[in-house]
């Protein structure tokens, strides 16, 4: 066996093996004959794109966890294949990977580098105007929006809409329409037209037989939560959870997260913690590492509100491990939470001011929107989300917007 003679080593529990780096380097040197390396790598990159499309279907099946684990194990291979395709004027290969996996590509590692790769693919002049291009661009719009790169997101949104209209593909049009509605809902939390667009996109995807159409019920529920329509949130997430259980065979972690938020709003903080911890466990089992890392921050907030030191320490440690698994650091949120538990005044203000310095550039464009959200949304007023106002207020003050800061 190759393992016994140290030519390869086990890659994971699936039985796959990987070459040792010296062997890989030697193999590359043998391929460095005229034309041979590119021919082999093109076949490999196309195979990676084929596998990405195949596995994207399994993400919405009882094999979802195995599919998520495979994506996690192959993360670097996706990025290497995208790089090769872009550099060798074959962007369609990279576009296929982005369209198939979407935000799964940013569940570990550096977000900006993944987004920049994906942008290079969909903006490449040789990229074909296909369904994959429209859907891939729509995925990247959401990545950019979440990374606070709003101007780029809106510019790419127009490209995605143009391509979707050109193709005449109903699935592409529905996916793009859904992203537009989510962005507009995020920018204006009382824009009821966005709700109608989200519902229309879900209906169109269902009619087209898209297996994951119901996953977009999450965005509908988030919008309802912002409007304070809590009973409708429960109904929407119950529908999504039933679909998730029937399709994947386990509880829906997103549903648990939102239902935990509702528990908190009703005053049951312990119930909220229980649901959020369960959601974190499911995210980890599903290899949704970014979501796991994010939700532990909410558990930290609840621990502070409950004055529960033991829970606080457990959540901080769990959040740190989750962030490490994504390739990131604990970040300013965890530093602020730790200080707010140990020293409720001086240290939290000091660390928040450091964080405010990091936010200054973003606040110049986004601060007003966040302030309006805080004033007009019941979810901000009645939950630990309100804690976000401290660093935002400090950043507003640092940029001279004293009245808004006060």
């Amino acid at each position: 066996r190759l393992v016994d003679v140290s030519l390869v080593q086990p890659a994971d529990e699936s039985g796959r093996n990987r070459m040792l780096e010296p062997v890989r380097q030697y193999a590359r040197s043998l391929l460095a004959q005229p034309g041979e390396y590119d021919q082999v790598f093109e076949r490999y990159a196309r195979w990676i794109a084929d596998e990405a499309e195949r596995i994207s279907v399994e993400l919405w099946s009882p094999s979802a966890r195995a599919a998520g684990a495979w994506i996690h194990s192959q993360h670097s291979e996706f990025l290497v294949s995208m790089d090769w395709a872009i550099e060798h004027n074959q962007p369609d290969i990279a576009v296929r990977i982005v369209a198939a996996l979407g935000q799964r590509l940013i569940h570990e590692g550096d977000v900006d580098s993944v987004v920049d790769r994906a942008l290079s693919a969909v903006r490449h002049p040789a990229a074909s105007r296909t369904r994959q291009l429209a859907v891939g661009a729509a995925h990247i719009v959401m990545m950019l929006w979440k990374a606070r790169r709003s101007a780029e997101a809106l510019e790419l949104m127009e490209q995605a809409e143009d391509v979707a209209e050109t193709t005449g593909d109903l699935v592409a049009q529905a996916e793009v329409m859904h992203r537009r509605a989510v962005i507009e809902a995020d920018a204006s939390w009382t824009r009821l037209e966005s709700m109608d667009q989200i519902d229309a996109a879900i209906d169109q995807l269902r009619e087209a037989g898209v297996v994951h159409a119901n996953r977009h019920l999450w965005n509908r529920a988030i919008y309802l939560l912002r409007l304070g329509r809590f009973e409708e949130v429960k109904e929407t997430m119950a529908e999504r959870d039933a679909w998730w259980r029937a399709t994947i065979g386990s509880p829906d972690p997103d549903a648990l997260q939102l239902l935990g938020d509702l528990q908190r709003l009703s005053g049951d903080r312990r119930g909220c913690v229980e649901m959020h911890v369960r959601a974190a466990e499911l995210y980890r089992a599903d290899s949704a590492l970014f979501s796991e890392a994010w939700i532990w921050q909410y558990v930290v907030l609840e621990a502070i509100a409950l004055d529960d030191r033991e829970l606080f320490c457990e959540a901080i440690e769990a959040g740190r491990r989750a962030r490490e698994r994504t390739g990131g650091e604990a970040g300013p949120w965890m530093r602020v939470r730790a200080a707010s538990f140990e020293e409720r005044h001086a240290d939290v203000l000091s660390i928040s001011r450091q964080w405010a310095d990091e936010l200054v550039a973003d606040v110049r464009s986004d601060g007003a929107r966040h302030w309006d959200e805080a004033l007009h949304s019941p979810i901000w007023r009645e939950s630990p989300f309100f804690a976000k106002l401290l660093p935002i207020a400090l950043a507003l003050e640092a940029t001279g917007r004293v009245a808004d800061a006060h």
Side-chain angles (χ1 to χ4, degrees):
R1 292 179 49 190
L2 296 177
V3 173
D4 296 333
V5 294
S6 299
L7 288 175
V8 299
Q9 61 185 15
D12 51 44
E13 296 178 356
S14 70
R16 291 173 58 86
N17 295 316
R18 63 169 173 264
M19 288 184 183
L20 298 176
E21 189 55 32
V23 178
R24 187 186 296 268
Q25 291 174 1
Y26 176 66
R28 282 176 178 163
S29 71
L30 295 179
L31 285 173
Q33 306 299 324
E36 191 169 358
Y37 181 85
D38 284 345
Q39 290 174 13
V40 171
F41 213 109
E42 180 181 351
R43 289 201 299 272
Y44 179 69
R46 290 188 182 280
W47 176 79
I48 282 289
D50 291 342
E51 287 297 287
E53 291 174 340
R54 179 187 65 79
I55 212 75
S56 68
V57 177
E58 294 189 15
L59 286 171
W60 310 106
S61 75
S63 304
R65 287 186 176 173
W70 186 85
I71 291 171
H72 175 66
S73 70
Q74 299 300 308
H75 186 261
S76 62
E77 300 304 310
F78 295 130
L79 301 187
V80 168
S81 298
M82 289 171 65
D83 287 342
W84 182 91
I86 293 165
E87 290 170 7
H88 290 77
N89 207 37
Q90 299 201 45
D92 288 353
I93 296 175
V95 167
R96 288 173 57 200
I97 294 172
V98 175
L101 300 180
Q103 295 183 60
R104 281 276 182 172
L105 285 171
I106 65 168
H107 278 184
E108 65 172 72
D110 181 63
V111 174
D112 286 329
S113 70
V114 173
V115 172
D116 289 340
R117 280 183 174 94
L119 272 174
S120 297
V122 299
R123 287 176 172 170
H124 198 288
S128 303
R129 295 172 68 82
T130 59
R131 171 201 283 192
Q132 287 89 345
L133 181 63
V135 173
H139 282 315
I140 302 167
V141 164
M142 297 312 301
M143 297 181 199
L144 289 167
W145 192 258
K146 290 181 178 180
R148 301 170 70 89
R149 293 164 61 175
S150 1
E152 292 175 274
L154 294 172
E155 180 183 349
L156 188 61
M157 188 78 251
E158 293 182 3
Q159 178 187 344
E161 289 171 334
D162 180 55
V163 174
E165 184 177 354
T166 300
T167 63
D169 187 281
L170 294 180
V171 172
Q173 290 173 355
E175 290 283 10
V176 171
M177 177 171 63
H178 175 259
R179 266 61 175 203
R180 168 67 79 178
V182 169
I183 284 180
E184 291 183 348
D186 197 35
S188 176
W189 287 18
T190 56
R191 189 179 184 279
L192 295 179
E193 294 91 335
S194 297
M195 178 83 74
D196 295 335
Q197 288 178 316
I198 291 172
D199 289 342
I202 293 172
D203 290 341
Q204 191 164 320
L205 288 169
R206 285 171 175 168
E207 290 172 8
V210 176
V211 68
H212 61 257
N214 284 334
R215 70 174 176 159
H216 295 319
L217 289 169
W218 161 263
N219 296 108
R220 185 179 198 278
I222 286 288
Y223 195 70
L224 289 166
L225 187 66
R226 291 168 177 171
L227 295 173
R229 293 158 61 174
F230 301 142
E231 288 303 315
E232 291 176 78
V233 173
K234 292 179 183 178
E235 294 171 5
T236 300
M237 293 315 290
E239 181 181 357
R240 182 179 146 135
D241 184 58
W243 163 75
W244 190 278
R245 289 171 185 267
T247 304
I248 295 176
S250 64
D252 177 10
D254 289 342
L256 286 172
Q257 179 184 341
L258 272 192
L259 293 175
D261 290 338
L262 291 179
Q263 293 277 74
R264 177 179 57 236
L265 292 170
S266 69
D268 182 6
R269 292 190 179 276
R270 290 291 178 187
C272 169
V273 168
E274 182 180 342
M275 288 196 173
H276 280 181
V277 170
R278 177 61 177 144
E281 293 169 350
L282 289 169
Y283 283 135
R284 183 165 64 254
D286 293 342
S287 296
L289 304 180
F290 188 83
S291 298
E292 182 203 354
W294 185 256
I295 200 169
W296 279 117
Q297 299 183 32
Y298 298 146
V299 179
V300 171
L301 277 170
E302 295 305 322
I304 293 171
L306 291 165
D307 204 27
D308 187 331
R309 184 185 185 84
E310 182 179 356
L311 174 62
F312 174 84
C313 294
E314 290 175 358
I316 284 286
E317 179 60 20
R320 183 190 63 77
R321 290 197 302 268
R323 286 292 294 157
E324 286 179 349
R325 284 193 289 272
T326 68
E329 299 177 354
W333 266 112
M334 288 298 181
R335 298 200 306 271
V336 170
R337 300 299 186 272
S340 64
F341 194 87
E342 298 294 342
E343 298 287 343
R344 294 184 181 273
H345 302 294
D347 283 357
V348 71
L349 287 172
S350 173
I351 292 176
S352 292
R353 285 187 186 280
Q354 294 173 26
W355 188 20
D357 290 338
E358 301 170 19
L359 288 175
V360 163
D362 289 335
V363 168
R364 284 198 176 100
S365 59
D366 273 359
R369 180 169 67 85
H370 284 297
W371 182 253
D372 289 340
E373 290 170 358
L375 290 179
H376 297 111
S377 172
I379 185 69
W380 279 72
R381 285 181 172 277
E382 302 298 333
S383 80
F385 279 116
F386 199 75
K388 286 186 178 181
L389 287 183
L390 172 61
I392 291 173
L394 292 168
L396 287 167
E397 184 180 43
T399 54
R401 297 177 57 181
V402 179
D404 284 342
H406 288 174

